[in-house]
Amino acid sequence: MAKPPRSASRRAVAAAFAGVLGLLISVLGGPATRAEASTAGLHVSNGRVYEANGNEFVMRGVNHAYDWYPSRTSAIADIAAKGANTVRLVLGSGHRYTRTSASEVSSLIAQCKQNKVICILEVHDTTGYGEDSAAASLDEAADYWIGLKDALAGQENYVVVDIGNEPYGNTGYGAWTDATKNAIKKLRGAGIRNALMVDAPNWGQDWSGTMRDNAASVFSSDPDGNTIFSVHMYGVYDTAAKVQDYLNYFANHHLPLVIGEFGDQHTDGDPDEDAVMSTAQSLRVGYLGWSWSGNSGGVEYLDLVNGFDPNSLTDWGRRLFDGANGIVATAKRATVYGSGGSGGTGTAPNGYPYCVNGSATDPDGDGWGWENNRSCVVPGGPADH
């Protein structure tokens, strides 16, 4: 989002009843059923993001401008230590920003795994395509990802590929739908199996409704059925009603959405960050605040910490991490990293045991499962509090 530095039912029913219910739904029709727990890696089912074990995963994280600050090697660890379960990393394809090499990408993935966060990798060169003549196309971004295929292979449990940041500005954004479909098909045809993320046009904010109105057809174009949509919420989303209307559309249509960027203020208007965070929490929608540190060009107020110092939170940082519906209160670690701080085994905060088999035991999606003849809490679900 920011410019780079100028210098560079309350409990689940018994298993037998659940089986009958599932059969009735399949016969009579209804929402798409979630994927089997054996599905490889992070994946989408019925508009939600799941881990391979069937545990629902809700992103709570931070953006970090790696490509502009490659020497800030402790950033991922610092962000993880603040409680985030996801880090979205700015990369460069070489079209406009310094190319992030395959070895760098492998190192970043290793750092994410070491610090037990899910890694979203995004190419920033596409920002504002159609309006900004220096921007790369989504097709060019797809070529960059294909060149990283070996680094991405085998990392499907840990890495989401965000094809291109804010890939259209406010000019020519009608081309977003076909360009996005073509990029998805190109990546899948090349054998990339990671969950994909696609950013909205209009500098990520989708004020035109282009992504919203075409999301179903874009999702259907992915032969893997594993694409997540990302909206960036800044000045366009200056009222609770606008935030709620947009997020509820995706939830009601069972389309997977995250708020890939947002802030507490902006030059294009005053975003309602309280509505963003509370609505995301109530709908189990992921969010990622922009950004850790190093903003410039008049948007320095978007820094979460001062000068990359994890002990110097800004007002925005305190709001995002420690405020109501914030990261500390709502983030659950991905269970692929074990149960520490994120459920999966042991006891939930409400005193009930966690479900060992995650959402596989939760047929109605209320966050409660049934194992060993007793109720259990699905880690990261609506009952996990």
Side-chain angles (χ1 to χ4, degrees):
M1 170 16 242
K3 296 177 181 178
R6 298 186 187 279
S7 63
S9 74
R10 190 171 185 275
R11 294 185 174 87
V13 293
F17 181 79
V20 173
L21 179 62
L23 180 60
L24 286 172
I25 291 174
S26 66
V27 172
L28 299 176
T33 57
R34 64 189 55 163
E36 294 298 322
S38 60
T39 301
L42 291 161
H43 62 278
V44 172
S45 183
N46 199 26
R48 301 288 181 185
V49 178
Y50 294 92
E51 297 183 70
N53 64 0
N55 181 71
E56 185 179 352
F57 182 69
V58 180
M59 298 177 187
R60 289 285 182 267
V62 170
N63 287 268
H64 167 50
Y66 167 78
D67 195 61
W68 309 333
Y69 298 102
S71 64
R72 298 293 183 173
T73 56
S74 67
I76 294 174
D78 291 340
I79 292 167
K82 290 295 183 187
N85 65 18
T86 306
V87 177
R88 181 175 180 256
L89 297 165
V90 172
L91 309 184
S93 68
H95 181 96
R96 180 173 189 175
Y97 302 121
T98 303
R99 183 181 181 89
T100 311
S101 69
S103 61
E104 287 178 280
V105 169
S106 293
S107 176
L108 291 169
I109 294 171
Q111 290 179 56
C112 285
K113 292 165 72 173
Q114 180 181 356
N115 290 286
K116 300 181 180 180
V117 291
I118 295 302
C119 225
I120 301 176
L121 305 175
E122 61 101 337
V123 165
H124 218 74
D125 304 63
T126 57
T127 306
Y129 181 79
E131 183 174 344
D132 189 333
S133 61
S137 68
L138 281 172
D139 186 65
E140 289 169 319
D143 288 336
Y144 172 73
W145 292 118
I146 291 169
L148 295 175
K149 178 182 175 181
D150 290 345
L152 299 171
Q155 306 300 330
E156 292 83 2
N157 283 317
Y158 311 98
V159 175
V160 176
V161 172
D162 187 338
I163 303 176
N165 182 69
E166 300 179 359
Y168 281 85
N170 294 325
T171 302
Y173 55 83
W176 177 89
T177 302
D178 286 342
T180 301
K181 289 179 179 180
N182 290 336
I184 291 170
K185 292 174 183 177
K186 190 171 187 176
L187 293 178
R188 295 305 188 207
I192 292 177
R193 302 271 76 89
N194 306 75
L196 300 177
M197 185 174 286
V198 295
D199 285 13
N202 310 130
W203 301 96
Q205 297 201 74
D206 201 29
W207 57 260
S208 65
T210 301
M211 183 173 80
R212 178 198 63 205
D213 296 345
N214 293 283
S217 69
V218 170
F219 185 83
S220 296
S221 74
D222 181 355
D224 288 9
N226 201 16
T227 295
I228 304 163
F229 298 93
S230 173
V231 64
H232 296 175
M233 289 190 156
Y234 293 106
V236 169
Y237 298 92
D238 56 357
T239 68
K242 291 177 183 178
V243 172
Q244 293 161 4
D245 286 350
Y246 196 89
L247 299 185
N248 273 304
Y249 178 92
F250 281 81
N252 292 339
H253 288 80
H254 304 286
L255 292 163
L257 180 72
V258 301
I259 303 157
E261 294 182 16
F262 74 109
D264 65 340
Q265 54 183 306
H266 205 269
T267 53
D268 69 345
D270 184 11
D272 191 337
E273 71 278 7
D274 293 338
V276 171
M277 296 169 70
S278 63
T279 309
Q281 174 67 5
S282 66
L283 294 177
R284 309 200 314 274
V285 168
Y287 66 64
L288 302 110
W290 183 279
S291 71
W292 184 239
S293 199
N295 286 285
S296 65
V299 293
E300 290 84 355
Y301 51 76
L302 287 171
D303 283 1
L304 293 162
V305 299
N306 294 300
F308 290 92
D309 181 354
N311 298 312
S312 182
L313 286 169
T314 64
D315 289 345
W316 170 219
R318 283 187 287 272
R319 175 67 188 93
L320 181 68
F321 285 105
D322 300 327
N325 313 111
I327 287 173
V328 171
T330 66
K332 301 291 181 180
R333 181 188 298 165
T335 56
V336 70
Y337 294 122
S339 60
S342 65
T345 61
T347 304
N350 61 16
Y352 283 84
Y354 279 117
C355 304
V356 174
N357 293 318
S359 60
T361 60
D362 179 20
D364 57 358
D366 67 351
W368 290 92
W370 183 265
E371 291 179 351
N372 300 318
N373 294 315
R374 63 179 182 176
S375 294
C376 58
V377 173
V378 176
D384 191 6
H385 53 75

